[in-house]
Amino acid sequence: MSRVILDEQAIRRATTRIAHEIIEHNKGIENCILVGIKTRGIYLAKRLAERIETIEGEKIPVGEIDITLYRDDLTVKSRTEEPILQGTDIPVDISNRKVILVDDVLYTGRTVRAALDALIDIGRPEQIQLAVLIDRGHRELPIRPDYVGKNVPTSKSEKIVANLSEVDSTDEVTIEQNNKLPL
């Protein structure tokens, strides 16, 4: 059984609100960069960049980061037993910049921890902030988002599925019963 908790319009409102919060918190976008965590985080980062450009009248750099090798639960998904890398592409030096890390769903915090490690290997940001579309709780690490589209308290038997049109041909976030517990 699945229930829609954010539809296309609600996702658009949430990203617009997060964009305003980023601008307000940073007193503009000077020295800021959005970095999306692959896969859906990059599309959210691009949407935030579009909203910010509409509001501020100037572009904010957008990068993407692959955390595959930084995960503490690395799983192999290829016949050669090597992890599949999707690549990191950050168009500017992140040293001494405010990096806004973007992801779709924040759960245990392990994905964000891996992204923090990957960012620090690339450069030394002035500050790293976290923007997520959904915060579902159940943290295993002391990680807290700075910007949240929607807080959705869940049980561990539930699963949040974020679908974005760029990947899934629809924009919606659903909550489902999950009989398997996460790793």
Side-chain angles (χ1 to χ4, degrees):
M1 187 174 95
S2 135
R3 179 172 52 95
V4 174
I5 52 176
L6 288 180
D7 60 12
E8 182 178 356
Q9 190 174 14
I11 291 172
R12 188 171 35 257
R13 281 193 303 267
T15 53
T16 299
R17 184 173 26 77
I18 291 169
H20 279 283
E21 290 174 2
I22 288 170
I23 294 164
E24 184 176 331
H25 181 265
N26 293 292
K27 297 175 179 53
I29 57 167
E30 185 179 339
N31 208 32
C32 292
I33 178 173
L34 295 168
V35 176
I37 300 173
K38 295 220 173 168
T39 294
R40 285 165 185 80
I42 183 57
Y43 299 112
L44 288 169
K46 288 178 180 178
R47 291 180 186 194
L48 287 169
E50 289 171 7
R51 303 286 192 307
I52 288 169
E53 184 177 359
T54 300
I55 298 162
E56 286 291 283
E58 60 182 284
K59 289 183 183 284
I60 183 170
V62 179
E64 52 191 70
I65 196 157
D66 179 2
I67 61 162
T68 304
L69 295 177
Y70 293 88
R71 295 197 58 94
D72 58 8
D73 62 348
L74 181 64
T75 53
V76 176
K77 296 184 179 178
S78 71
R79 277 187 270 135
T80 62
E81 298 298 309
E82 294 295 321
I84 297 171
L85 302 179
Q86 299 174 10
T88 293
D89 178 21
I90 299 180
V92 296
D93 183 4
I94 64 168
S95 297
N96 301 312
R97 284 187 177 261
K98 293 178 186 175
V99 175
I100 298 106
L101 199 55
V102 182
D103 204 8
D104 56 350
V105 179
L106 177 58
Y107 182 30
T108 62
R110 293 184 181 278
T111 297
V112 173
R113 187 222 36 95
L116 292 170
D117 287 348
L119 281 172
I120 298 302
D121 277 356
I122 293 168
R124 191 178 191 298
E126 173 186 320
Q127 184 179 55
I128 300 174
Q129 301 166 23
L130 177 60
V132 297
L133 183 59
I134 301 290
D135 181 354
R136 64 169 288 190
H138 302 286
R139 221 72 81 237
E140 295 174 1
L141 300 171
I143 290 175
R144 179 185 53 81
D146 299 281
Y147 315 102
V148 178
K150 185 173 180 73
N151 285 293
V152 181
T154 61
S155 74
K156 289 194 175 195
S157 67
E158 293 173 314
K159 180 180 178 183
I160 298 287
V161 178
N163 291 308
L164 298 177
S165 58
E166 296 90 339
V167 181
D168 309 296
S169 72
T170 186
D171 273 353
E172 71 177 13
V173 178
T174 58
I175 187 167
E176 304 174 354
Q177 263 320 108
N178 183 9
N179 296 329
K180 291 191 313 185
L181 288 176
L183 296 175

